């Protein structure tokens, strides 16, 4: 487009002003037609540039909004992961306390079993002692008279009744031990039932926690999958933004080249800033309009001269 403008200016100025030869009307019409075509092309290009600039601004705002939304979703995902980690830690602590409590109860049961065994050994010893005493009584029944004489001489027992009383005391002790054994066995059975019930409840609770943990793991996998999908979408957005940024850079380079072709130096006190593409386009448009006005004026002067020559 810049080369065609130079051809037009060279044709108009060099041939007419320098040589003084009139320019043929057909050449002027051809140059004017080309100039009008270029002008329409410039207007179309300017409209396209404005449209692309508006679309770029809209896309830029949309990308900013989507980036903010992704950032908010990422923060929510981090909060969910922190809450889930806290829940897992609390669940592990509860499980540890439950295991410690179950172990303590099992220790109590073992201690009770040891006490029962000790009582059983004591009872067995007392029963053995009783049997020995009974056998001795049976063997020594014939010596009742002798025992009566011995009791009279004894300082420990004053009569046979005291000896029988001693035996009754042992029998009472045996009954008490048997009763105690029965109570201990009853307590042991009750505690065994309670222990089995507690173990069953803890097993059900543990199964419930495991199911909840499995469900949370599934939710975590789903969240991670969504995070990967959003990450892929973000990468696509970044790639699209990079392409649009490259296109914008190309537009800026082309605009700067056109601006240089107008003969104005970018930067400095009088020039336009290198990064100010919109101002450069405005300058290019003014340049083209000025040259178009010059061509129109030259064409008008040429027509006037031709009319004067014919007269």
């Amino acid at each position: 487009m810049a080369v065609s403008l130079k051809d037009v200016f060279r044709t108009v100025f060099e041939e007419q002003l320098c040589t003084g030869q009139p320019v043929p009307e057909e050449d002027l019409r051809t140059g004017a037609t080309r100039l009008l075509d270029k002008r329409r092309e410039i207007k179309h290009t300017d409209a396209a540039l404005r449209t692309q600039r508006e679309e770029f601004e809209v896309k830029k705002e949309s990308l900013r909004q989507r980036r903010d939304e992704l950032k908010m979703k990422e923060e929510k995902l981090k909060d969910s992961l922190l809450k889930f980690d806290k829940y897992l830690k609390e669940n592990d602590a509860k499980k540890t306390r439950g295991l410690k409590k179950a172990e303590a109860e099992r220790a109590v049961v073992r201690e009770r079993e040891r006490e029962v065994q000790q009582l059983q050994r004591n009872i067995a010893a007392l029963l053995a002692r009783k049997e020995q005493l009974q056998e001795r009584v049976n063997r020594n029944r014939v010596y009742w008279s002798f025992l009566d004489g011995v009791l009279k001489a004894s300082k420990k027992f004053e009569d046979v009744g005291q000896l029988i009383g001693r035996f009754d005391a042992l029998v009472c002790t045996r009954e008490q031990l048997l009763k105690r054994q029965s109570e201990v066995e009853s307590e042991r059975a009750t505690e065994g039932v309670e222990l089995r019930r507690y173990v069953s409840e803890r097993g059900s609770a543990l199964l419930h926690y495991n199911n909840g943990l499995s469900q949370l793991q599934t939710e975590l996998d789903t969240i991670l999958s969504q995070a990967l999908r959003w990450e892929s979408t973000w990468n696509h957005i970044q790639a699209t933004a990079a392409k649009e940024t490259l296109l914008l850079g190309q537009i800026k380079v082309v605009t700067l080249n056109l601006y240089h072709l107008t003969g104005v130096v970018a930067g400095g006190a009088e020039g336009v800033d290198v990064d100010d593409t919109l101002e450069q386009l405005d300058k290019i448009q003014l340049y083209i309009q000025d040259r178009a006005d010059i061509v129109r004026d030259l064409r008008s002067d040429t027509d006037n001269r031709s009319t004067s020559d014919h007269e």
Side-chain angles (χ1 to χ4, degrees), residues 168-184:
D168 291 338
L170 292 175
V171 171
C172 183
T173 302
R174 175 179 176 274
E175 291 177 355
Q176 291 178 357
L177 291 174
L178 290 174
K179 183 179 179 180
R180 176 59 180 167
Q181 180 183 7
S182 177
E183 292 175 354
V184 170

Side-chain angles (χ1 to χ4, degrees), residues 15-234:
E15 292 183 359
Q16 183 177 357
L17 297 178
C18 296
T19 61
Q21 297 293 330
V23 180
E25 185 178 358
E26 181 179 358
D27 293 338
L28 288 175
R29 289 178 181 178
T30 302
T33 301
R34 289 199 304 270
L35 183 60
L36 290 174
D37 291 338
K38 294 301 179 179
R39 186 175 182 181
R40 284 194 296 269
E41 183 179 354
I42 289 171
K43 289 182 178 180
H44 179 71
T45 302
D46 184 59
L49 288 174
R50 286 196 301 270
T51 302
Q52 289 181 359
R53 182 173 60 193
E54 293 174 356
E55 292 177 354
F56 175 74
E57 293 295 333
V58 172
K59 290 181 179 179
K60 182 178 179 181
E61 180 64 21
S62 176
L63 288 175
R64 186 187 65 78
Q65 293 178 357
R66 292 182 66 180
R67 183 170 63 248
D68 294 339
E69 292 176 357
L70 288 175
K71 185 175 181 181
M72 292 176 62
K73 290 181 179 179
E74 183 180 1
E75 293 296 332
K76 291 181 179 179
L77 180 59
K78 288 181 179 179
D79 293 338
S80 298
L81 291 176
L82 290 175
K83 291 179 180 178
F84 179 69
D85 184 63
K86 181 179 179 181
Y87 172 76
L88 289 179
K89 291 180 179 179
E90 292 178 352
N91 189 24
D92 291 338
K94 292 179 180 179
K95 180 179 178 182
T96 302
R97 289 194 298 270
L99 292 175
K100 289 182 178 179
K101 184 176 181 181
E103 181 63 26
E105 292 179 355
R106 285 195 293 269
V108 172
V109 171
R110 289 194 295 269
E111 183 64 25
R112 295 292 176 82
E113 290 177 350
R114 286 193 294 270
E115 292 178 358
V116 169
Q117 292 175 359
Q118 182 63 33
L119 291 174
Q120 289 176 347
R121 287 193 293 269
N122 294 336
I123 291 172
L126 292 174
L127 289 175
R129 179 61 177 169
K130 176 189 174 183
E131 292 176 358
Q132 292 176 1
L133 293 174
Q134 187 64 42
E135 290 176 358
R136 290 177 63 184
V137 168
N138 293 332
R139 287 195 306 267
N140 297 324
R141 189 179 298 274
V142 295
Y143 301 105
W144 180 266
S145 299
F146 176 78
L147 288 177
D148 184 57
V150 172
L151 288 174
K152 291 179 180 179
S154 175
K155 296 180 180 180
K156 187 174 183 180
F157 299 102
E158 295 181 356
D159 54 17
V160 177
Q162 289 185 354
L163 181 60
I164 295 173
R166 176 61 176 172
F167 176 77
D168 291 338
L170 292 175
V171 171
C172 183
T173 302
R174 175 179 176 274
E175 291 177 355
Q176 291 178 357
L177 291 174
L178 290 174
K179 183 179 179 180
R180 176 59 180 167
Q181 180 183 7
S182 177
E183 292 175 354
V184 170
E185 289 179 353
S186 178
E187 291 177 359
R188 178 185 177 186
T190 302
E191 290 178 355
V193 172
E194 291 294 328
L195 177 60
R196 287 191 294 272
R197 183 180 63 81
Y198 177 77
V199 171
S200 178
E201 290 178 355
R202 292 299 94 190
S204 299
L206 182 60
L207 179 61
H208 175 71
Y209 290 148
N210 289 333
N211 292 334
L213 182 61
S214 177
Q215 183 178 1
L216 290 174
Q217 182 64 39
T218 303
E219 293 177 359
L220 178 60
D221 294 338
T222 302
I223 292 172
L224 291 176
S225 178
Q226 292 178 356
L228 291 175
R229 185 168 62 255
W230 282 113
E231 183 178 358
S232 177
T233 303
W234 175 245

Side-chain angles (χ1 to χ4, degrees), residues 6 255-274 276 279-288 290-291:
K6 289 182 178 180
T255 303
L256 183 61
N257 290 333
L258 291 175
Y259 180 71
H260 286 162
L261 291 175
T262 60
V264 182
V265 179
E270 297 180 356
V272 180
D273 187 73
V274 176
D276 193 353
E279 185 67 22
Q280 293 174 8
L281 289 173
D282 293 337
K283 294 294 184 179
I284 293 171
Q285 185 178 6
L286 292 175
Y287 177 81
I288 293 173
D290 292 339
R291 296 305 181 271

